[in-house]
Structure formats: structure tokens, C-alpha cells
Amino acid sequence: MAEISESDLRAAHTLFGTRFDLAERYVEHLATSGIERGLLGPREVPRLWSRHVLNCAVTAELFPSEATVADVGSGAGLPGIALAIARPDLSLTLIEPLERRVIWLREVITDLELPNVEVFRGRAEEAVGTVKATVVTARAVSALGGLAAMTIPILEGKGELLAIKGQSAPDEVAKSRKLIRKLGGREVSVQQVGAELLEQPTTVVRILVG
């Protein structure tokens, strides 16, 4: 079982509430079959809660009520599955091109009985016009310019992109501001969430479109 510190346990109970057991089962999937099938490296096991699941779950507060969300390059279901557990009101589509990851995601979604999640096998470009979303999210997919070019078209002119980023977020924003405007992004901000719950808060770039 993946370790969890007392402070992370408190944070997990705050973020997942009565659905904490689902989050625990998801982490167990990550720590076992997720590692065995190469979705994550074995060194990540001690950090599954802090660096991965809670890092994503704290962003749940940024999503509008009952939003339709596309998680681009979902991989091991981060942030999509973490968000689906924390926010059952959201409807999520996990966009992932690699078949072995898609198979794993579907197995986990079935086991956790998450009716608000489906998987689209394909690249972000292939999802345009097929996957409907009011919010697009992504984590560790690409530098912001490339990510914006991939994801903003899914919104079809209206909505927002919430990209989970690292400390270089302000630099990435500065470099890609012109391109973002060209793609229809009218407002870009860098936000930190989870400072009151996590040792390391999560950095999110928010781009409003339309």
C-alpha cells in the first residue's frame, strides 16, 4: 500500500470527504497495476498521494459546478480520475492515445464505478468536434504554447483551460501569451491552490477563452 503522511491523510479526507475510500482504491491501482504496466515509475510509489493524487485533487475548487471536462493526455488518470472522485458533479472525458493506458483507465473506472467518466482513445487534435467540453485540463503534457494549441480548439471558442504546471509557469505564460491570444485566449492567469492543505501547493495556469 502506498504510504500517506498524517498531513496528507487530513488533506485527503478534506478533499474527498465520504469518497475517501474511492481515492484510496485508486491509489492502490496506481501502486500495483499502474506501476506493473509502466504508467508510472516505481520510484513514484512513496509520492503517489502527495505528488500526484492530492496535487491534482486540490484543483477541483477551480471547476464550475456540473462542468463538462476534457482531460488531455490523461495517462494514469491524472488529473481526471482524481477530479472525478473529488467532484462527482463533473462529467469527464479522459483523452489518451496509447491503447495500454486506455485499457488500464477503463479497468480502473469500472472497478471504482465512476459513472461520470469516459475514455476517448486518440490525440487531442482528434477529439476536436467529437469531445464536448466547457473546461479542458492537462498535467505534464507539454510546454504551455504547445498545450494551448492542442487543447483550446476542443473548447470550440468558449470555455477555459486549467493546466497544472510547475514553477516555470510564469515564464511559460510570458513566452506563449501571443500564441494564446491568437488561439482565442482572452485572459491568462497563474494561480496557486491548496496552500492551506498541502506542503507544496499546486500551480495552475488558467486561460479563459471566448
Side-chain angles (χ1 to χ4, degrees), residues 68-72 91-95 131-133 135-138 154:
T68 305
V69 182
D71 173 18
V72 172
S91 297
L92 291 113
T93 301
L94 313 183
I95 299 171
V131 174
K132 302 296 174 194
V135 184
V136 179
T137 190
I154 295 171

Side-chain angles (χ1 to χ4, degrees), residues 166-182:
Q167 292 177 334
S168 65
D171 291 338
E172 290 190 45
V173 168
K175 283 178 189 168
S176 56
R177 203 177 280 277
K178 238 182 228 180
L179 173 62
I180 289 167
R181 258 204 305 272
K182 195 176 171 184

Side-chain angles (χ1 to χ4, degrees), residues 3-175:
E3 299 161 19
I4 184 167
S5 68
E6 276 188 38
S7 61
D8 283 344
L9 184 61
R10 284 194 297 272
H13 277 291
T14 300
L15 291 165
F16 297 111
T18 57
R19 291 161 70 85
F20 171 74
D21 61 322
L22 282 181
E24 214 171 21
R25 274 164 57 197
Y26 173 46
V27 170
E28 190 60 22
H29 278 290
L30 290 170
T32 53
S33 59
I35 302 292
E36 287 155 20
R37 300 200 215 167
L39 279 87
L40 290 159
R43 287 183 186 176
E44 296 306 312
V45 173
R47 305 186 289 188
L48 284 174
W49 281 104
S50 59
R51 186 177 174 181
H52 297 287
V53 175
L54 296 176
N55 172 266
C56 292
V58 290
T59 69
E61 66 180 62
L62 301 177
F63 290 77
S65 178
E66 298 185 1
T68 305
V69 182
D71 173 18
V72 172
S74 191
L78 296 160
I81 291 180
L83 289 170
I85 297 169
R87 288 281 306 274
D89 63 302
L90 302 177
S91 297
L92 291 113
T93 301
L94 313 183
I95 299 171
E96 173 54 53
L98 287 182
E99 187 179 19
R100 65 183 170 85
R101 291 178 181 170
V102 166
I103 290 167
W104 185 87
L105 287 168
R106 286 181 175 145
E107 286 172 7
V108 173
I109 291 162
T110 301
D111 178 61
L112 300 182
E113 296 178 3
L114 297 174
N116 57 328
V117 191
E118 55 185 55
V119 184
F120 174 88
R121 187 189 168 194
R123 301 192 317 277
E125 300 91 312
E126 295 168 314
V128 177
T130 302
V131 174
K132 302 296 174 194
T134 53
V135 184
V136 179
T137 190
R139 177 181 186 258
V141 170
S142 172
L144 187 61
L147 180 65
M150 262 191 277
T151 55
I152 288 176
I154 295 171
L155 295 169
E156 297 184 331
K158 193 176 182 187
E160 59 187 303
L161 167 62
L162 295 172
I164 299 174
K165 285 296 195 178
Q167 292 177 334
S168 65
D171 291 338
E172 290 190 45
V173 168
K175 283 178 189 168

